[in-house]
């Protein structure tokens, strides 16, 4: 799947186009939720996920990334959404969230979950809303 925007960006789910080294740098050095994440961890997570990336149409440089962990039947988790600083404010995060929503729609999943500290407005534009019963959510933290 490749989609284009008139302002010089294209979105792809082709894993062979990903610049995993760049994704590792973004996540481990600039994303507060993944600071210090190892290259091996990023590589393993990329291999086990559905990956979305945005590229500049001219030149093909990767400028954004998101991944989805899913069983393709009942559940998906949208995570590691990152837009390079020079490309923020152009709606690329919302575009990726909508692409995830649309890509997963045929699977009729019961729930697509994400967590965000400060980008609720980005995901709301793609139809995400606050979890209705957060007291039902639990977490098991095992690894540092």
């Amino acid at each position: 799947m490749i989609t284009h925007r008139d302002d010089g960006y294209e979105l792809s789910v082709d894993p062979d186009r990903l610049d995993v080294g760049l994704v590792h740098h973004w996540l481990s050095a600039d994303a507060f939720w993944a600071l210090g994440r190892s290259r091996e961890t990023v590589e393993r997570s990329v291999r086990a996920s559905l990956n979305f990336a945005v590229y500049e149409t001219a030149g093909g440089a990767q400028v954004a990334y998101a991944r989805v962990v899913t069983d393709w039947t009942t559940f998906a988790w949208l995570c590691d959404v990152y837009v390079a600083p020079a490309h923020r404010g152009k709606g690329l995060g919302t575009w990726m969230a909508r692409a995830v929503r649309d890509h997963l729609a045929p699977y009729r999943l019961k729930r697509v979950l994400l967590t965000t500290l400060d980008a609720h407005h980005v995901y709301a534009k793609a139809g995400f809303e606050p979890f209705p019963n957060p007291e039902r959510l639990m977490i098991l933290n095992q690894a540092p």
Side-chain angles (χ1 to χ4, degrees):
M1 171 189 103
I2 297 178
T3 58
H4 298 269
R5 288 192 354 180
D6 293 337
D7 61 351
Y9 293 103
E10 63 184 29
L11 185 145
S12 173
V13 297
D14 181 356
D16 294 330
R17 287 187 70 183
L18 285 176
D19 183 339
V20 177
L22 180 60
V23 171
H24 171 253
H25 172 73
W26 285 340
L27 296 178
S28 67
D30 193 41
F32 68 87
W33 66 90
L35 292 176
R37 188 177 289 175
S38 73
R39 170 77 184 237
E40 177 190 5
T41 297
V42 171
E43 289 173 354
R44 288 176 53 211
S45 67
V46 165
R47 281 194 307 270
S49 301
L50 170 62
N51 301 280
F52 290 76
V54 175
Y55 304 89
E56 291 179 309
T57 305
Q62 185 175 334
V63 301
Y65 175 75
R67 70 183 182 95
V68 175
V69 180
T70 185
D71 64 7
W72 299 103
T73 307
T74 62
F75 178 79
W77 173 40
L78 171 59
C79 56
D80 288 342
V81 179
Y82 185 91
V83 178
H87 299 272
R88 292 179 186 164
K90 299 177 182 183
L92 299 180
T94 299
W95 188 34
M96 285 192 297
R98 286 180 178 143
V100 166
R101 176 198 65 201
D102 296 347
H103 191 86
L104 295 175
Y107 299 97
R108 301 177 51 96
L109 305 178
K110 180 175 176 69
R111 183 167 288 122
V112 178
L113 183 70
L114 67 85
T115 62
T116 184
L117 178 65
D118 58 2
H120 297 78
H121 63 287
V122 170
Y123 302 109
K125 293 175 188 175
F128 286 86
E129 54 191 45
F131 198 82
N133 306 103
E135 69 278 2
R136 293 183 182 179
L137 291 175
M138 296 184 73
I139 188 168
L140 176 63
N141 286 316
Q142 291 184 316

